[in-house]
Amino acid sequence: VDPDVVNYLRAERPVGTYESTQTGNFDLYLPFIEKGLRLLSPGGRMAYIAPSLWTVNEYGAGLRRLLHRTRQLERWLDFKSFQVFKEAITYTALQFFTRHANEAVSVVNSAMGEIGSIIWTAEDNSVSYTALGSGEEWVMLSGEERNVVVRLAEVCDKLGSSQLTESIFQGVVTSHDSIYHLVKVGPNKYVCSYREGQDIEFTIEDSMMKPLISGPQAKRYVVPQEDKHLLFPYIDQSSGGRELISQKILSQQFPHALGYFKTFEKELRSRESPKMDVDDGWWGYVYPKNLLSHDRPKLIVAQTVPNMRVSADFEGSKYLNNVRVNGIIAARGVDIAFLLGALNGSVADFVFRRIAKPKDGGWFEANKQFIAPLPIPKATPKQQAAIGKRARLLQDQWTSRRDLIAEVETRLSILPRATYKPKLLWPDLPDLKALAQEMPRSVKESERTDWAKARLKELEEGKLNALQGFLDSRAELTAEFNKGELRLLAGGKPVLHRIFLADDKGLLAQHYWRYVLSQRQKDAKGFAAQLGRYPSPDHSDAARQFIARVDALLDLTEKILSREDEMNEALYDLYGLSTTERRLIEEDCAKRPLL
């Protein structure tokens, strides 16, 4: 680091600069950054390990314009969601600056934190300043990935364009969700959980409540099921807008709602005090935005996601929670189901995960800033209708799959379950007593027992490590029960075997294992614990019904995956993907299976 720059920044950095960057007023930093860069010695470099999000966030536009003019950013090593520091969750990059201008930036990504094998001079790593542009978001990618993202941006419409969408909007902001978000327990009956540890039931008119969708209910291609309702004290105006219901109308038409508001009058008045401490309107929302958007047909987009998760509210019956979900209203003449299919397709998801703000654990932020630029292929009304038809069918099927899983779980919950023991899955594991006897009898019994426990744990860990290898390799695992033996197979070869059960119990366990396999499995220890807790028949008809529904679930899942492939094939054609682009996207999809 150039010492002149260090001394300048120590002496000249203004009080409050750090705080200003946290609130988004990043431009206050720019004069000091610019002067610091000018102070670099002719051959000097200045390097930071610093937050990376200024390349895509709105507050970084000024810095992008500055560096596009001076071209002093030379190298960029992005750690994506890899956590460099243990003390805090950060999203960082190594950023190298020079005194002289550069024609291009060398861009390298290291999502796993490895830097030893980086070759800065590789031709694929070079991104010209002309390609980066000025002010708009910088796509810090190189090679084939960058080529795909840039080409699609050039030939497609952006989701946020007026040709495709009327609006991308945020959910309802109440400024006191614990009072406005309630659980319905019966007609005109709702439970408030405002006070910690206390669930209080209130009578509130149903006509004042709206079904509310939050992040956990917003799934890909699944009609969401609300778990809460939103208290909505607004009515339609003759002019087409919405206005807060007056206290007079509340007392005449919604006396129970008025009584509820008065229960929490102190808390509601204290919101952003003194703004809401007024004689009229203290029961309304602090920021009543987008109130007309929620009861229109729309797409629902979960905001913090591992991949794009979009569903459609075709009837316009759901209201959206602030921050956790966003809404999209299609432009006039655009089939909303067409947008549903395109956004859930592998191409849009590929681009999304390369331009969106990363989060810890492989998650991303899907707010307006990062979904508005997503490429949507140009399509005729006929082509839109064809994609839309496929998307509607997929939403029906994914929703049916969700409902089938609930039916499976209900029946599984009443069946007796085995207690997990490693020997249930690996019958060849020795008994503790047999292991202890391998030690000389001269050794104390307590020491023999301790050694046997440690040895048995070592053997069990070996079995789990082998099972983890199959999960890591994404081997296709299947379960079968044949001639009294329950087995788990990978490519026809046994992974777990010699588990002998009675016919009725074995058939049920086979279906249970197939059900477990239909869910995404990453951790061998948890996977083994699930497999080992297989159910047994009881006196009810639950076992037979469980088996029938698992068969139906597996059949439906196979149809869904086939239709997903058909949808992607249709979208590939609309996007006009080259063979290279298609290979890149399909390889990426293989790493992120839908199930």
Coordinates of all heavy atoms in Angstrom, one line a residue, residues 5-58:
V5 N -0.7 7.5 0.4 CA -2.2 7.4 0.5 C -2.6 7.1 1.9 O -3.6 7.6 2.4 CB -2.6 6.3 -0.5 CG1 -4.2 6.1 -0.4 CG2 -2.3 6.6 -1.9
V6 N -1.9 6.2 2.6 CA -2.2 5.9 4.0 C -2.2 7.1 4.8 O -3.2 7.4 5.6 CB -1.3 4.8 4.5 CG1 -1.5 4.6 6.0 CG2 -1.4 3.5 3.8
N7 N -1.2 7.9 4.7 CA -1.1 9.1 5.6 C -2.2 10.1 5.2 O -2.7 10.7 6.1 CB 0.3 9.8 5.4 CG 1.4 8.9 5.9 OD1 1.2 8.1 6.8 ND2 2.6 9.0 5.3
Y8 N -2.5 10.2 4.0 CA -3.5 11.1 3.6 C -4.9 10.7 4.1 O -5.6 11.5 4.7 CB -3.6 11.2 2.0 CG -4.9 12.0 1.6 CD1 -5.0 13.3 1.7 CD2 -6.0 11.2 1.1 CE1 -6.1 14.0 1.3 CE2 -7.1 11.9 0.7 CZ -7.2 13.3 0.8 OH -8.3 13.9 0.4
L9 N -5.2 9.5 4.0 CA -6.5 9.0 4.5 C -6.6 9.1 6.0 O -7.6 9.4 6.6 CB -6.7 7.6 4.0 CG -7.0 7.4 2.5 CD1 -7.1 5.9 2.2 CD2 -8.2 8.1 2.1
R10 N -5.5 8.8 6.7 CA -5.5 9.0 8.1 C -5.7 10.4 8.6 O -6.4 10.7 9.5 CB -4.1 8.5 8.7 CG -4.0 7.0 8.8 CD -2.6 6.6 9.2 NE -2.5 5.1 9.4 CZ -1.3 4.5 9.6 NH1 -0.2 5.2 9.6 NH2 -1.3 3.2 9.7
A11 N -5.1 11.3 7.8 CA -5.2 12.7 8.2 C -6.5 13.4 7.7 O -7.0 14.3 8.4 CB -4.0 13.5 7.7
E12 N -6.9 13.0 6.5 CA -8.0 13.8 5.9 C -9.3 13.2 5.9 O -10.3 13.8 5.5 CB -7.5 14.1 4.4 CG -6.2 14.8 4.3 CD -6.3 16.2 4.8 OE1 -7.4 16.8 4.8 OE2 -5.3 16.8 5.2
R13 N -9.4 11.9 6.2 CA -10.8 11.3 6.1 C -11.7 12.0 7.0 O -11.5 12.1 8.2 CB -10.7 9.8 6.4 CG -12.0 9.1 6.1 CD -12.0 7.6 6.4 NE -11.8 7.3 7.9 CZ -11.8 6.1 8.4 NH1 -12.0 5.1 7.7 NH2 -11.6 6.0 9.7
P14 N -12.9 12.4 6.5 CA -13.8 13.2 7.3 C -14.5 12.4 8.4 O -14.7 11.2 8.2 CB -14.8 13.8 6.3 CG -14.8 12.7 5.2 CD -13.4 12.2 5.2
V15 N -14.8 13.0 9.5 CA -15.5 12.4 10.6 C -16.9 12.0 10.0 O -17.6 12.8 9.4 CB -15.7 13.3 11.8 CG1 -16.6 12.6 12.8 CG2 -14.4 13.6 12.4
G16 N -17.3 10.8 10.3 CA -18.6 10.3 9.8 C -18.6 9.6 8.5 O -19.7 9.2 8.0
T17 N -17.5 9.6 7.8 CA -17.5 9.0 6.5 C -17.9 7.5 6.5 O -18.7 7.1 5.7 CB -16.0 9.1 5.8 OG1 -15.7 10.4 5.7 CG2 -16.0 8.4 4.5
Y18 N -17.4 6.8 7.5 CA -17.7 5.4 7.6 C -19.2 5.2 7.8 O -19.9 4.4 7.1 CB -17.0 4.7 8.8 CG -17.4 3.3 9.0 CD1 -16.9 2.3 8.2 CD2 -18.4 3.0 10.0 CE1 -17.3 1.0 8.4 CE2 -18.8 1.7 10.1 CZ -18.2 0.7 9.3 OH -18.7 -0.6 9.5
E19 N -19.8 6.0 8.7 CA -21.2 5.9 8.9 C -22.0 6.3 7.7 O -23.0 5.7 7.4 CB -21.6 6.9 10.1 CG -21.1 6.4 11.4 CD -19.6 6.7 11.7 OE1 -19.0 7.3 10.8 OE2 -19.1 6.2 12.7
S20 N -21.5 7.2 6.9 CA -22.3 7.6 5.7 C -22.3 6.5 4.7 O -23.3 6.3 4.0 CB -21.6 8.8 5.0 OG -20.4 8.5 4.4
T21 N -21.3 5.7 4.6 CA -21.3 4.5 3.7 C -22.3 3.5 4.1 O -22.9 2.8 3.3 CB -19.9 3.8 3.5 OG1 -19.6 3.2 4.8 CG2 -18.9 4.8 3.2
Q22 N -22.6 3.4 5.4 CA -23.5 2.4 5.9 C -25.0 2.8 5.6 O -25.8 2.0 5.4 CB -23.4 2.2 7.4 CG -22.0 1.8 7.8 CD -21.4 0.6 7.1 OE1 -22.0 -0.5 7.1 NE2 -20.4 0.8 6.3
T23 N -25.2 4.1 5.5 CA -26.6 4.5 5.2 C -26.8 4.7 3.7 O -27.9 5.2 3.3 CB -26.9 5.8 5.9 OG1 -25.9 6.8 5.5 CG2 -26.8 5.6 7.4
G24 N -25.8 4.4 2.9 CA -26.0 4.5 1.4 C -25.5 5.8 0.8 O -25.5 5.9 -0.4
N25 N -25.1 6.8 1.6 CA -24.6 8.0 1.0 C -23.1 7.9 0.7 O -22.3 8.6 1.2 CB -24.9 9.2 2.0 CG -24.7 10.5 1.4 OD1 -24.5 10.6 0.2 ND2 -24.8 11.6 2.2
F26 N -22.9 7.0 -0.2 CA -21.5 6.7 -0.6 C -20.8 7.8 -1.3 O -19.5 7.9 -1.3 CB -21.5 5.4 -1.5 CG -20.3 4.6 -1.5 CD1 -19.9 3.8 -0.4 CD2 -19.5 4.6 -2.6 CE1 -18.8 3.1 -0.5 CE2 -18.3 3.9 -2.7 CZ -18.0 3.1 -1.6
D27 N -21.5 8.7 -1.9 CA -20.9 9.8 -2.7 C -20.0 10.7 -1.8 O -19.1 11.3 -2.3 CB -21.9 10.6 -3.4 CG -22.6 9.8 -4.6 OD1 -22.0 8.7 -4.9 OD2 -23.6 10.3 -5.1
L28 N -20.3 10.8 -0.5 CA -19.4 11.6 0.4 C -18.0 11.1 0.4 O -17.1 11.9 0.7 CB -20.0 11.6 1.8 CG -21.4 12.3 2.0 CD1 -21.8 12.2 3.4 CD2 -21.3 13.7 1.6
Y29 N -17.8 9.9 0.1 CA -16.5 9.3 0.1 C -15.7 9.6 -1.2 O -14.4 9.6 -1.2 CB -16.6 7.7 0.1 CG -15.8 7.0 1.2 CD1 -16.2 5.7 1.6 CD2 -14.7 7.6 1.8 CE1 -15.5 5.0 2.5 CE2 -14.0 7.0 2.8 CZ -14.4 5.7 3.2 OH -13.7 5.0 4.1
L30 N -16.3 9.9 -2.3 CA -15.7 10.0 -3.6 C -14.6 11.0 -3.7 O -13.5 10.7 -4.2 CB -16.7 10.3 -4.7 CG -17.8 9.2 -4.8 CD1 -18.7 9.5 -5.9 CD2 -17.2 7.8 -5.0
P31 N -14.7 12.2 -3.2 CA -13.5 13.2 -3.3 C -12.3 12.7 -2.6 O -11.2 12.9 -3.1 CB -14.1 14.4 -2.6 CG -15.5 14.3 -2.7 CD -15.8 12.9 -2.5
F32 N -12.4 11.9 -1.5 CA -11.3 11.4 -0.8 C -10.7 10.2 -1.5 O -9.4 10.1 -1.5 CB -11.7 11.1 0.6 CG -12.3 12.3 1.3 CD1 -13.6 12.6 1.3 CD2 -11.4 13.2 2.0 CE1 -14.1 13.7 1.9 CE2 -11.9 14.3 2.6 CZ -13.3 14.6 2.6
I33 N -11.5 9.4 -2.1 CA -11.0 8.3 -2.8 C -10.2 8.8 -4.1 O -9.1 8.3 -4.4 CB -12.1 7.3 -3.3 CG1 -12.8 6.6 -2.1 CG2 -11.6 6.3 -4.3 CD1 -14.0 5.8 -2.4
E34 N -10.8 9.8 -4.8 CA -10.2 10.3 -6.0 C -8.9 10.9 -5.6 O -7.9 10.7 -6.3 CB -11.1 11.3 -6.6 CG -10.6 11.8 -8.0 CD -11.6 12.7 -8.7 OE1 -12.6 13.1 -8.0 OE2 -11.4 13.0 -9.9
K35 N -8.8 11.7 -4.6 CA -7.5 12.3 -4.2 C -6.5 11.3 -3.8 O -5.3 11.4 -4.1 CB -7.7 13.4 -3.1 CG -6.5 14.2 -2.8 CD -6.8 15.4 -1.9 CE -5.5 16.2 -1.7 NZ -5.8 17.3 -0.7
G36 N -7.0 10.3 -3.1 CA -6.1 9.2 -2.6 C -5.5 8.5 -3.8 O -4.3 8.2 -3.8
L37 N -6.3 8.3 -4.8 CA -5.8 7.6 -6.0 C -4.7 8.4 -6.8 O -3.8 7.9 -7.3 CB -6.9 7.2 -7.0 CG -7.9 6.2 -6.5 CD1 -9.1 6.1 -7.4 CD2 -7.2 4.8 -6.4
R38 N -4.9 9.8 -6.8 CA -3.9 10.6 -7.4 C -2.6 10.7 -6.7 O -1.6 11.0 -7.3 CB -4.5 12.1 -7.5 CG -5.6 12.2 -8.5 CD -5.8 13.7 -9.0 NE -6.1 14.5 -7.9 CZ -7.3 14.9 -7.4 NH1 -8.3 14.4 -8.0 NH2 -7.5 15.7 -6.4
L39 N -2.6 10.4 -5.4 CA -1.4 10.4 -4.6 C -0.5 9.1 -4.8 O 0.6 9.1 -4.3 CB -1.8 10.5 -3.1 CG -2.3 11.9 -2.6 CD1 -2.8 11.8 -1.2 CD2 -1.1 12.9 -2.7
L40 N -1.0 8.2 -5.5 CA -0.2 6.9 -5.7 C 1.0 7.3 -6.4 O 1.0 8.1 -7.4 CB -1.1 5.9 -6.5 CG -2.1 5.1 -5.7 CD1 -3.0 4.4 -6.7 CD2 -1.4 4.1 -4.8
S41 N 2.1 6.7 -6.0 CA 3.4 6.8 -6.7 C 3.3 6.2 -8.1 O 2.4 5.3 -8.3 CB 4.5 6.2 -5.9 OG 4.3 4.9 -5.7
P42 N 4.1 6.6 -9.1 CA 4.0 6.1 -10.5 C 3.9 4.6 -10.6 O 3.1 4.1 -11.4 CB 5.2 6.7 -11.1 CG 5.5 7.9 -10.4 CD 5.2 7.6 -8.9
G43 N 4.7 3.9 -9.9 CA 4.6 2.4 -10.0 C 3.8 1.8 -8.9 O 3.9 0.5 -8.7
G44 N 3.2 2.6 -8.1 CA 2.5 2.0 -6.9 C 1.2 1.4 -7.1 O 0.5 1.7 -8.1
R45 N 0.7 0.6 -6.2 CA -0.6 0.0 -6.2 C -1.2 0.2 -4.8 O -0.5 0.3 -3.8 CB -0.6 -1.5 -6.5 CG -0.4 -1.8 -8.0 CD -0.6 -3.3 -8.2 NE -0.5 -3.6 -9.6 CZ 0.6 -3.9 -10.3 NH1 1.7 -3.9 -9.7 NH2 0.5 -4.2 -11.6
M46 N -2.5 0.3 -4.8 CA -3.3 0.4 -3.6 C -4.2 -0.8 -3.6 O -5.0 -1.0 -4.6 CB -4.0 1.7 -3.5 CG -4.8 1.8 -2.2 SD -5.4 3.5 -1.9 CE -6.4 3.8 -3.3
A47 N -4.2 -1.6 -2.6 CA -5.1 -2.8 -2.5 C -6.0 -2.8 -1.3 O -5.5 -2.4 -0.2 CB -4.2 -4.1 -2.5
Y48 N -7.2 -3.1 -1.5 CA -8.2 -3.3 -0.4 C -8.7 -4.7 -0.4 O -8.9 -5.3 -1.5 CB -9.3 -2.3 -0.6 CG -9.1 -0.9 -0.4 CD1 -9.0 0.0 -1.5 CD2 -8.9 -0.3 0.9 CE1 -8.8 1.4 -1.3 CE2 -8.7 1.0 1.1 CZ -8.6 1.9 0.0 OH -8.4 3.2 0.1
I49 N -9.0 -5.2 0.8 CA -10.1 -6.2 0.9 C -11.3 -5.5 1.4 O -11.2 -5.1 2.6 CB -9.6 -7.5 1.7 CG1 -10.7 -8.5 1.7 CG2 -9.2 -7.1 3.1 CD1 -10.3 -9.9 2.2
A50 N -12.3 -5.4 0.6 CA -13.4 -4.5 1.0 C -14.7 -5.0 0.4 O -14.7 -5.9 -0.4 CB -13.1 -3.1 0.4
P51 N -15.8 -4.4 0.9 CA -17.1 -4.9 0.4 C -17.2 -4.8 -1.1 O -16.6 -3.8 -1.7 CB -18.1 -3.9 1.1 CG -17.4 -3.5 2.3 CD -15.9 -3.5 2.0
S52 N -17.8 -5.8 -1.7 CA -17.9 -5.9 -3.2 C -19.1 -5.3 -3.8 O -19.2 -5.1 -5.0 CB -17.7 -7.3 -3.6 OG -18.8 -8.1 -3.1
L53 N -20.1 -5.0 -2.9 CA -21.4 -4.7 -3.5 C -21.6 -3.4 -4.1 O -22.6 -3.1 -4.7 CB -22.5 -4.9 -2.3 CG -22.5 -6.3 -1.7 CD1 -23.5 -6.4 -0.6 CD2 -22.8 -7.4 -2.8
W54 N -20.6 -2.5 -4.0 CA -20.7 -1.2 -4.7 C -20.7 -1.4 -6.2 O -21.2 -0.5 -6.9 CB -19.6 -0.3 -4.3 CG -18.2 -0.7 -4.6 CD1 -17.3 -1.4 -3.8 CD2 -17.5 -0.5 -5.9 NE1 -16.1 -1.6 -4.5 CE2 -16.2 -1.1 -5.8 CE3 -17.8 0.1 -7.1 CZ2 -15.3 -1.1 -6.8 CZ3 -16.9 0.1 -8.1 CH2 -15.6 -0.5 -8.0
T55 N -20.3 -2.5 -6.7 CA -20.4 -2.7 -8.2 C -21.8 -3.0 -8.7 O -22.1 -2.8 -9.9 CB -19.5 -4.0 -8.6 OG1 -20.0 -5.1 -7.9 CG2 -18.1 -3.7 -8.2
V56 N -22.7 -3.3 -7.8 CA -24.1 -3.6 -8.2 C -25.2 -2.8 -7.5 O -26.2 -2.6 -8.0 CB -24.4 -5.1 -8.1 CG1 -23.6 -5.9 -9.0 CG2 -24.2 -5.6 -6.6
N57 N -24.9 -2.3 -6.3 CA -25.9 -1.6 -5.5 C -26.0 -0.2 -6.1 O -25.1 0.4 -6.6 CB -25.5 -1.5 -4.0 CG -26.0 -2.7 -3.3 OD1 -26.8 -3.5 -3.8 ND2 -25.6 -2.9 -2.1
E58 N -27.2 0.4 -5.8 CA -27.5 1.8 -6.3 C -26.5 2.8 -5.8 O -26.1 3.7 -6.4 CB -28.9 2.1 -6.0 CG -29.9 1.3 -6.8 CD -31.4 1.5 -6.4 OE1 -31.5 2.3 -5.4 OE2 -32.3 0.9 -6.9

